[in-house]
Amino acid sequence: MRTEPGGCCCRRPVRANDCVANGEVRNGYVRSSAATAAAAASQIHHVTQNGGLYKRPFNEGFEETPMLVAVLTYVGYGVLTLFGYLRDFLRHWRIEKCHHATEREEQKDFVSLYQDFENFYTRNLYMRIRDNWNRPICSVPGARVDIMERQSHDYNWSFKYTGNVIKDVINMGSYNYLGFARNTGPCQEAAAKVLEEYGVGVCSTRQEIGNLDKHEELEKLVASFLGVEAAMTYGMGFATNSMNIPALVSKGCLILSDELNHASLVLGARLSGATIRVFKHNNMQSLEKLLKDAIVYGQPRTRRPWKKILILVEGIYSMEGSIVRLPEVIALKKKYKAYLYLDEAHSIGALGPTGRGVVDYFGLDPEDVDIMMGTFTKSFGASGGYIGGKKELIDYLRTHSHSAVYATSPSPPVVEQIVTSMKCIMGQDGTTLGKECIQQLAENVRYFRRRLKNMGFIIYGNEDSPVVPLMLYMPAKIGAFGREMLKRNIGVVVVGFPATPIIESRARFCLSAAHTKEMLDTALKEIDEVGDLLHLKYSRHRSVPLLDRPFDETTYEETED
Amino acid sequence: MATVAEQWVLVEMVQALYEAPAYHLILEGILILWIIRLLFSKTYKLQERSDLTVKEKEELIEEWQPEPLVPPVSKDHPALNYNIVSGPPSHNIVVNGKECINFASFNFLGLLDNPRLKAAALASLKKCGVGTCGPRGFYGTFDVHLDLEDRLAKFMKTEEAIIYSYGFATIASAIPAYSKRGDIVFVDKAACFAIQKGLQASRSDIKLFNHNDMDDLQRLLKEQEIEDQKNPRKARVTRRFIVVEGLYMNTGTICPLPELVKLKYRYKARIFLEESLSFGVLGEHGRGVTEHFGIDIDDIDLISANMENSLASIGGFCCGRSFVIDHQRLSGQGYCFSASLPPLLAAAAIEALNIMEENPVHGQRHRVNSGALPGERREVSPSSESTDPVTSEEAAEGSMHSAEEALESGHLEENQHHHLPSV
């Protein structure tokens, strides 16, 4: 462990040779000393034991792309681009029929609405595999879902519904972490009652006549759930970020935002007018350098001191599956007097022994986070967002938030769903259902990740994150994976450019407490099969599972290089 | 002869080398070595920006005091304590414990407590639950969404419609999807806040024209034409848009759409029409300001509205030709990166649309009532026939004191926070 001169409070991560978690030794992370020296360059996991800031091992890994795979991926994109140019040429000269919509005759002399090259990717690459997205469903998005079958006779330019429904597809794509997406049960009954009484819409903003007693009740409950003084709720999670960040910071302030932040955070930061600087993903050295430089050198050119510094991070990053290094961020924030905005869209309800999110997961004090933001879409099975913090903050937001002044308040049955599900998680409804769901989710996550790693796939992210990205890399495999899994009755989400870097396309699994072990086993079996079919097992660190051989000091881990 | 001359030059050079004094040779040798060193050494780096020592930096870090995260809010701030409504926010509303007649919500067609809407929403709740648990791209598209988009497109007589899960986000995501940096947008000075945010996010050039003043707009368009002639290459790639509202939220007046359409074809700009308040209210069947003026809907490139006013649900939609609308499915931020509309709200909207189609007379009764109320709170332009739905409701009798108070405080807040886009 080296300490940087100047008393940097972050130390380099320690490569622990004997990381033990939960009383079992995990394969793939235990390396003998000889193997470590040889394979130091391709070490994939960093276990951080940062001087007591972390109460448990922080196990996160992003295995490097194998060189051959990277080259083949670029070749693949190159071939697709060439074919794209060819097809554009054929379409231009009317040799091939043009399927997409065109401008009106009367407006042909207007400046064209879209530039050709902007849509090149959409026309030529996205269109070929478009059937993997926007799949319509017609049942509740629980652990199993019914997908409406659609067919295309013109290579995905248009779809027709055959009328069939693919029933009971295992749903590994919906954000249903605690399994509250249900159409029966106490949440649904409560929501139905409120629907009868209050109706569906509100037709007014919070500051006018749209503030129902239900909203006040919800806000008190959210504040007690998070452990903060007060909270405020909004009708849309995306809008919570884009409308409240501008109310908190303005020109003359500095925003330090993570590289991989969500579009809503980026939009909110842009709309605020503050200066934005980006630090490398989850990299505390990068963040510290930016903080130091900002305070020492002030605003660019005028050298005036910054009015405020706001750090924007997320609890779980949904494309990487990584968890923010919150203890270190809070230590930095305290040292440099910055403010912390934590977006817990995916981590609220899904992490932590009591489901209170990433603060609970690390065992920290919620008072340390200045602004705790989150959404109700993922773990609570409803929609909307919230912000929690000190009373002064919430008072200020009540008066100055754009959403409170101009946007309609949340709908009453949705609010009731949040209230009921939150009470269930907190255990206030008198059952242990909440606790069981949280435990089930944690078990599912550990089991699923371990099995996938053992099969030899490259999996990104933290060990405890319910978002599991499986790397595909090549463009053709994106489409193939999605379609093969649907044939086997499993619904997955595949993502490519521009949501991810161009060569790092992936399939993303979202685990749920509603998934039983049987469902996970079925899914794993099918993933194994498809992985063999498509040659997806890129990982060079496959290891033999513990169950087969007894572990002793002289056993060297077998690696396939 | 040439070779002999060359040889002679070479010989002379060598001879000169032998005959040169020693110091000369040494000096030249040193210079050559110096040049070689300079060529191969690293680029000359500027010194660190300042000569601050580590200790000085630490002192600066210690001394810096940020502003408090939020400025303090006085306890008597008028917007701090909201009025609490107990029970459903329909025509008779209980505000802070007092029963009032509701003149403050945007429940123009009175569909808020319609039993048919509640029944449709309940059926959807029993089938699909409350939330959709995902954006439209990832298993968040329900059959109800596709139905609603279909119905809206048919109702408005356009090719396609797209729904958003939040009314504010609709126009605020639609504008930046088409208008980028370098494009020009002509917008009315009284545009609502959502449009202002959309324009700010788009980073385009904004040109404001006086409210409902077509001459001012024409002047701006002419100026732009002159600019274009100076730089035709740039003009060929600069898109132009005119953003107007059907019924302005801030002034209660209707935009002069026929003149706008004429200007559109003359100066080749596309029209984006925001119809949140006029949808369901203007026009014979409630199709909005295009029906009101009898204009072909294809003349308007994009119509955006929210379903939170007349349709008494939540969310918003955009409709127009497929050529225009389909683009938002991949580049509308509020569509791609946000969870979809809960199906029960979509089902309620479909039912509201059914009611609107069945009784076009609903809208007529509404217009009669609005004319009956005297003393409208907002400015009314004498040229256009203006109906101010905000002050009109089904019941026009009884004491209005408490409702007026609520109305007063509500509108006070709106006016306080309006500001023009800072470009």
Side-chain angles (χ1 to χ4, degrees):
Chain A
M1 272 197 335
R2 295 179 293 132
T3 49
E4 276 184 29
C8 166
C9 80
C10 282
R11 304 196 184 89
R12 298 248 179 261
V14 174
R15 291 178 167 73
N17 285 340
D18 51 359
C19 128
V20 178
N22 296 332
E24 74 174 19
V25 178
R26 304 239 198 94
N27 299 304
Y29 318 136
V30 180
R31 302 180 148 286
S32 66
S33 40
T36 311
S42 57
Q43 173 79 8
I44 52 167
H45 285 275
H46 303 279
V47 180
T48 317
Q49 300 280 2
N50 197 329
L53 276 180
Y54 289 85
K55 300 192 177 72
R56 56 203 279 180
F58 185 85
N59 225 326
E60 200 163 273
F62 300 93
E63 188 174 334
E64 242 179 62
T65 312
M67 177 60 80
L68 178 63
V69 173
V71 168
L72 285 176
T73 311
Y74 282 122
V75 168
Y77 276 109
V79 168
L80 280 170
T81 313
L82 283 174
F83 269 94
Y85 281 126
L86 174 67
R87 300 297 274 272
D88 274 349
F89 175 79
L90 292 176
R91 275 190 279 259
H92 182 68
W93 289 103
R94 309 238 188 279
I95 303 172
E96 185 181 323
K97 192 161 91 145
C98 192
H99 291 272
H100 56 250
T102 47
E103 179 67 277
R104 282 174 84 203
E105 278 308 318
E106 297 91 332
Q107 290 178 214
K108 276 264 175 350
D109 52 350
F110 281 42
V111 176
S112 66
L113 195 52
Y114 315 117
Q115 287 176 315
D116 272 339
F117 72 86
E118 261 174 28
N119 291 0
F120 181 85
Y121 179 82
T122 314
R123 273 198 310 275
N124 297 308
L125 277 77
Y126 173 75
M127 268 306 163
R128 292 169 179 269
I129 46 175
R130 195 161 83 114
D131 54 308
N132 289 306
W133 292 286
N134 294 304
R135 288 185 178 150
I137 67 179
C138 50
S139 74
V140 66
R144 284 191 192 272
V145 73
D146 297 337
I147 300 183
M148 289 165 66
E149 200 185 10
R150 30 177 209 174
Q151 261 180 6
S152 174
H153 298 287
D154 50 3
Y155 299 101
N156 289 345
W157 284 98
S158 63
F159 289 107
K160 286 197 185 25
Y161 294 99
T162 60
N164 290 344
V165 172
I166 311 174
K167 283 208 167 288
D168 290 336
V169 175
I170 297 181
N171 185 358
M172 310 232 49
S174 290
Y175 304 136
N176 182 20
Y177 299 133
L178 290 179
F180 278 109
R182 303 169 56 189
N183 54 358
T184 52
C187 295
Q188 183 262 348
E189 283 161 24
K193 213 153 47 129
V194 167
L195 176 65
E196 279 298 329
E197 199 188 324
Y198 285 81
V200 166
V202 184
C203 295
S204 188
T205 68
R206 288 297 290 279
Q207 283 192 359
E208 292 182 3
I209 211 90
N211 182 43
L212 307 176
D213 46 0
K214 280 261 149 247
H215 297 131
E216 301 275 331
E217 185 193 334
L218 173 64
E219 287 175 357
K220 288 201 190 62
L221 186 63
V222 169
S224 81
F225 179 74
L226 297 171
V228 291
E229 285 178 24
M232 185 163 175
T233 54
Y234 305 92
M236 185 194 196
F238 186 98
T240 309
N241 278 331
S242 63
M243 294 208 233
N244 288 306
I245 298 181
L248 295 170
V249 290
S250 56
K251 201 150 180 253
C253 304
L254 177 65
I255 293 183
L256 298 174
S257 140
D258 190 291
E259 212 178 357
L260 298 178
N261 267 341
H262 189 252
S264 56
L265 288 166
V266 172
L267 183 63
R270 268 184 49 210
L271 286 177
S272 68
T275 312
I276 307 176
R277 295 205 178 135
V278 170
F279 63 91
K280 295 207 190 62
H281 177 58
N282 235 0
N283 186 326
M284 294 300 113
Q285 286 85 12
S286 170
L287 176 58
E288 180 155 20
K289 181 169 192 315
L290 283 180
L291 277 167
K292 258 207 197 121
D293 285 346
I295 300 180
V296 166
Y297 297 116
Q299 300 190 27
R301 291 194 295 132
T302 55
R303 297 298 177 105
R304 287 199 198 110
W306 294 103
K307 286 201 242 168
K308 284 181 244 194
I309 300 185
L310 186 67
I311 305 176
L312 293 182
V313 286
E314 288 188 43
I316 292 184
Y317 291 89
S318 59
M319 279 301 153
E320 305 285 311
S322 50
I323 299 182
V324 67
R325 293 174 189 272
L326 197 59
E328 293 176 59
V329 175
I330 290 188
L332 278 176
K333 154 196 121 84
K334 282 187 179 152
K335 178 171 176 193
Y336 293 98
K337 294 184 266 237
Y339 300 114
L340 179 59
Y341 186 106
L342 178 65
D343 177 344
E344 293 208 79
H346 285 268
S347 52
I348 191 76
L351 283 184
T354 54
R356 313 267 160 128
V358 72
V359 171
D360 191 29
Y361 174 74
F362 287 113
L364 299 168
D365 184 8
E367 308 254 314
D368 284 335
V369 180
D370 301 289
I371 305 150
M372 294 183 71
M373 176 264 168
T375 62
F376 299 119
T377 325
K378 281 93 186 178
S379 301
F380 300 96
S383 75
Y386 66 84
I387 289 193
K390 296 220 160 34
K391 188 148 189 327
E392 298 87 54
L393 169 71
I394 301 298
D395 279 345
Y396 182 81
L397 285 177
R398 280 169 82 102
T399 49
H400 287 82
S401 160
H402 301 169
S403 175
V405 187
Y406 295 106
T408 316
S409 29
S411 161
V414 172
V415 168
E416 184 62 25
Q417 159 82 14
I418 306 169
V419 166
T420 330
S421 57
M422 206 176 260
K423 284 193 176 147
C424 182
I425 296 175
M426 287 163 77
Q428 279 181 11
D429 60 340
T431 65
T432 52
L433 185 63
K435 222 167 159 47
E436 283 165 23
C437 283
I438 297 169
Q439 271 165 2
Q440 179 70 31
L441 177 66
E443 274 172 33
N444 282 355
V445 168
R446 273 197 289 272
Y447 178 67
F448 196 75
R449 276 180 171 268
R450 186 167 54 83
R451 286 284 306 273
L452 279 180
K453 286 236 174 66
N454 288 346
M455 285 180 199
F457 294 101
I458 296 185
I459 306 286
Y460 273 11
N462 194 300
E463 278 307 298
D464 292 314
S465 116
V467 175
V468 186
L470 186 151
M471 300 310 288
L472 299 172
Y473 298 114
M474 299 182 200
K477 296 193 185 179
I478 306 174
F481 191 80
R483 289 172 190 155
E484 288 294 319
M485 292 305 282
L486 189 61
K487 269 194 223 157
R488 292 166 171 74
N489 234 27
I490 301 184
V492 299
V493 160
V494 287
V495 247
F497 184 79
T500 61
I502 191 143
I503 62 164
E504 289 176 17
S505 344
R506 58 199 74 176
R508 188 185 70 175
F509 301 104
C510 288
L511 296 167
S512 162
H515 287 135
T516 59
K517 190 154 185 300
E518 290 74 38
M519 283 187 219
L520 289 183
D521 283 333
T522 324
L524 284 163
K525 186 167 73 76
E526 305 294 354
I527 295 172
D528 199 10
E529 216 178 287
V530 173
D532 284 326
L533 180 67
L534 297 176
H535 301 288
L536 287 173
K537 300 189 178 174
Y538 300 121
S539 179
R540 293 208 203 99
H541 302 276
R542 212 178 311 181
S543 58
V544 183
L546 183 65
L547 307 156
D548 282 24
R549 306 170 324 187
F551 178 79
D552 63 271
E553 297 295 339
T554 58
T555 313
Y556 284 82
E557 178 197 80
E558 278 177 3
T559 54
E560 279 187 54
D561 280 312
Chain B
M1 271 303 280
T3 36
V4 172
E6 276 168 26
Q7 274 177 347
W8 182 75
V9 167
L10 198 64
V11 161
E12 235 205 32
M13 275 167 58
V14 173
Q15 224 177 359
L17 203 66
Y18 281 129
E19 281 173 9
Y23 70 88
H24 196 94
L25 287 175
I26 292 172
L27 187 63
E28 288 201 3
I30 290 174
L31 283 173
I32 289 174
L33 285 172
W34 187 254
I35 290 173
I36 293 175
R37 182 179 161 230
L38 277 179
L39 280 173
F40 284 108
S41 71
K42 283 199 295 200
T43 28
Y44 179 72
K45 259 203 183 99
L46 275 172
Q47 245 184 337
E48 271 290 296
R49 272 174 289 173
S50 60
D51 294 307
L52 295 175
T53 63
V54 169
K55 189 158 181 304
E56 281 173 341
K57 286 188 187 173
E58 279 186 12
E59 271 177 22
L60 279 172
I61 294 172
E62 279 291 314
E63 280 169 12
W64 179 67
Q65 282 299 332
E67 275 181 13
L69 179 58
V70 287
V73 173
S74 84
K75 288 220 181 335
D76 326 308
H77 196 288
L80 182 57
N81 298 309
Y82 299 154
N83 297 316
I84 303 185
V85 172
S86 354
S90 60
H91 302 308
N92 292 310
I93 192 173
V94 179
V95 182
N96 292 337
K98 237 191 317 188
E99 238 199 70
C100 315
I101 300 178
N102 187 355
F103 276 90
S105 47
F106 293 131
N107 186 10
F108 302 138
L109 300 181
L111 292 174
L112 201 54
D113 49 358
N114 190 305
R116 278 173 63 177
L117 256 73
K118 289 190 193 172
L122 198 60
S124 176
L125 174 62
K126 291 208 169 99
K127 180 177 170 208
C128 299
V130 176
T132 53
C133 297
R136 287 290 291 261
F138 303 151
Y139 303 102
T141 306
F142 282 65
D143 42 359
V144 214
H145 296 136
L146 299 171
D147 253 341
L148 179 58
E149 287 181 355
D150 220 19
R151 291 294 306 282
L152 281 167
K154 282 206 184 69
F155 179 74
M156 295 293 288
K157 298 207 177 113
T158 58
E159 281 179 20
E160 200 173 327
I162 179 175
I163 11 180
Y164 284 82
S165 54
Y166 204 49
F168 190 99
T170 312
I171 190 70
S173 305
I175 295 178
Y178 300 100
S179 181
K180 314 270 184 208
R181 204 193 283 266
D183 295 332
I184 303 174
V185 183
F186 300 94
V187 67
D188 193 301
K189 275 195 179 146
C192 69
F193 193 71
I195 295 181
Q196 291 171 16
K197 286 292 134 189
L199 292 169
Q200 196 184 351
S202 73
R203 295 200 258 222
S204 321
D205 292 327
I206 319 271
K207 299 209 182 340
L208 298 162
F209 61 91
N210 294 329
H211 177 53
N212 269 353
D213 187 351
M214 289 300 105
D215 298 317
D216 201 28
L217 175 58
Q218 188 155 19
R219 176 185 61 86
L220 285 171
L221 285 165
K222 268 211 184 80
E223 278 172 17
Q224 184 57 39
E225 208 180 21
I226 298 172
E227 280 290 321
D228 287 345
Q229 278 157 3
K230 286 192 201 143
N231 194 342
R233 215 204 284 172
K234 185 171 169 212
R236 237 177 294 147
V237 290
T238 315
R239 296 174 274 243
R240 290 130 235 260
F241 301 98
I242 302 175
V243 179
V244 283
E245 287 183 56
L247 186 64
Y248 285 91
M249 165 89 94
N250 294 340
T251 60
T253 49
I254 303 181
C255 72
L257 203 56
E259 285 98 34
L260 276 167
V261 173
K262 280 202 204 94
L263 285 172
K264 162 188 170 162
Y265 283 111
R266 187 151 154 216
Y267 293 97
K268 315 242 180 298
R270 295 171 200 267
I271 299 187
F272 285 177
L273 187 59
E274 218 277 322
E275 291 222 73
S276 291
L277 292 179
S278 51
F279 179 78
V281 165
L282 293 179
E284 205 185 298
H285 296 97
R287 294 202 175 98
V289 79
T290 46
E291 204 182 24
H292 183 75
F293 285 113
I295 292 179
D296 179 17
I297 195 113
D298 278 339
D299 281 334
I300 311 292
D301 294 89
L302 181 95
I303 296 185
S304 148
N306 70 21
M307 305 193 283
E308 293 161 358
N309 302 334
S310 304
L311 287 181
S313 179
I314 305 271
F317 68 93
C318 287
C319 60
R321 295 184 68 243
S322 288
F323 176 70
V324 180
I325 299 295
D326 210 35
H327 181 69
Q328 280 180 53
R329 293 200 195 271
L330 282 179
S331 53
Q333 292 227 316
Y335 182 83
C336 302
F337 296 113
S338 175
S340 47
L341 186 64
L344 63 101
L345 299 171
I350 295 180
E351 196 57 34
L353 211 54
N354 287 342
I355 297 177
M356 268 174 71
E357 284 182 338
E358 286 165 19
N359 326 354
V361 84
H362 232 87
Q364 281 180 17
R365 188 151 56 122
H366 172 259
R367 275 193 294 283
V368 166
N369 279 340
S370 69
L373 269 183
E376 274 147 313
R377 202 155 288 282
R378 287 165 164 170
E379 225 177 59
V380 162
S381 141
S383 56
S384 55
E385 169 201 301
S386 62
T387 49
D388 189 354
V390 181
T391 58
S392 63
E393 271 293 303
E394 300 268 321
E397 62 203 271
S399 103
M400 310 195 297
H401 288 301
S402 323
E404 272 195 6
E405 267 173 21
L407 185 64
E408 185 106 57
S409 68
H411 286 290
L412 210 58
E413 290 340 296
E414 273 191 54
N415 291 329
Q416 263 183 6
H417 290 275
H418 283 157
H419 58 275
L420 292 168
S422 52
V423 182

